[in-house]
């Protein structure tokens, strides 16, 4: 299988005052193309810390990370920034849509940031996920569940190899959580590697592989 991310011996500590707090300790991980992986674990166990590192938002750590077979150490900042924009999509727990733009404009924003027009990709995604009715609406005119799904389509707009979702169902009821999980599965079936953190055991079980974060490590 094509490995999208490979991690060996990842450790991460935060400095708080004079103390060093070790959050990730000698952790190993990998995820392949089209694979849907979930992570559960207690609050404060380091799940978001881990996602930030995998998603290239944090580069203060020790250990080896390879993205698409390339060592992060061997890349400069500009290379990493392009890699992140082109290949990594993020969905956060809290709403992050821009209020002054329509849903379609929001979804196509990553393509604009990259300087390549989306060429109908936003509408295509909205149709494929059955959301074309909200294309022209503004974020304040749609429900929380729809916002969450729109944020996910935005993350998928550049057809990322890796989709990172930090508690994507955190604020949703059972029905809408199910809809988001179906969406994530569909994204994985389209070839994207999906890495999801959740507090919901039922959601975690819907992944191909469910991991637990504890003691600074990820275990099956
Ligand atoms: N920027 C930071 N500086 C110092 N400590 C931090 C920082 N960010 C997180 N921490 C600490 O690192 C630990 C892991 O935090 P993290 O946010 O990764 O946990 P989490 O597993 O995502 O928790 P939750 O389920 O509540 O979102 C916590 O003890 C937290 O207080
Ligand atoms: Mg977190």
């Amino acid at each position: 299988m094509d490995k999208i991310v490979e991690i060996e011996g990842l450790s991460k500590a935060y400095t708080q005052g004079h103390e060093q707090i070790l959050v990730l300790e000698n952790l190993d991980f990998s995820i392949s193309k089209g694979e849907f992986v979930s992570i559960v674990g207690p609050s404060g166990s380091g799940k978001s810390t881990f996602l930030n590192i995998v998603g290239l938002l944090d580069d203060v750590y020790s250990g080896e990370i390879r993205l698409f077979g390339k060592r992060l150490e061997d890349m400069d900042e500009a290379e990493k920034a392009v890699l992140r924009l082109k290949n990594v999509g993020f969905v956060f727990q809290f709403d992050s849509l821009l209020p002054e733009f329509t849903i379609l404009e929001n979804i196509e924003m990553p393509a604009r940031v990259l300087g390549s027009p989306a060429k109908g990709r936003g509408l295509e995604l909205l149709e494929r996920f059955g959301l074309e009715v909200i294309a022209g609406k503004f974020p304040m005119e749609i429900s929380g569940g729809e916002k969450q799904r729109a944020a996910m389509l935005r993350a998928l707009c550049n057809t990322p190899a890796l989709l990172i979702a930090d508690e994507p169902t955190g604020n949703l009821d059972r029905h809408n959580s199910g809809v988001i999980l179906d969406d994530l599965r569909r994204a994985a079936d389209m070839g994207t590697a999906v890495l999801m953190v959740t507090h919901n055991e039922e959601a975690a079980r819907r992944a191909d592989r469910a991991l637990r974060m504890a003691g600074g490590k990820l275990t099956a």
Side-chain angles (χ1 to χ4, degrees), residues 182-201:
D182 290 341
D183 287 349
L184 291 171
R185 164 61 62 194
R186 189 170 300 148
D189 290 344
M190 283 156 57
T192 297
V194 177
L195 180 57
M196 169 184 76
V197 159
T198 179
H199 277 289
N200 181 333
E201 300 273 348

Side-chain angles (χ1 to χ4, degrees), residues 8-19:
E8 280 163 40
L10 175 66
S11 295
K12 163 86 185 176
Y14 286 114
T15 309
Q16 222 159 37
H18 297 291
E19 272 184 81

Side-chain angles (χ1 to χ4, degrees), residues 5-6 11-12 17 34 48 62 77 91 93 102 104 125 129 138 141-142 190 192 194 199 218-219:
V5 183
E6 291 166 282
S11 295
K12 163 86 185 176
S48 296
S62 65
E77 286 312 309
V91 190
Q93 176 175 2
T102 66
L104 180 59
L125 275 172
F129 287 79
F138 288 88
E141 299 170 332
I142 62 175
M190 283 156 57
T192 297
V194 177
H199 277 289
L218 282 172
T219 51

Side-chain angles (χ1 to χ4, degrees), residues 47-49 166-167 197 199:
K47 305 179 301 294
S48 296
T49 299
D166 200 347
E167 295 190 45
V197 159
H199 277 289

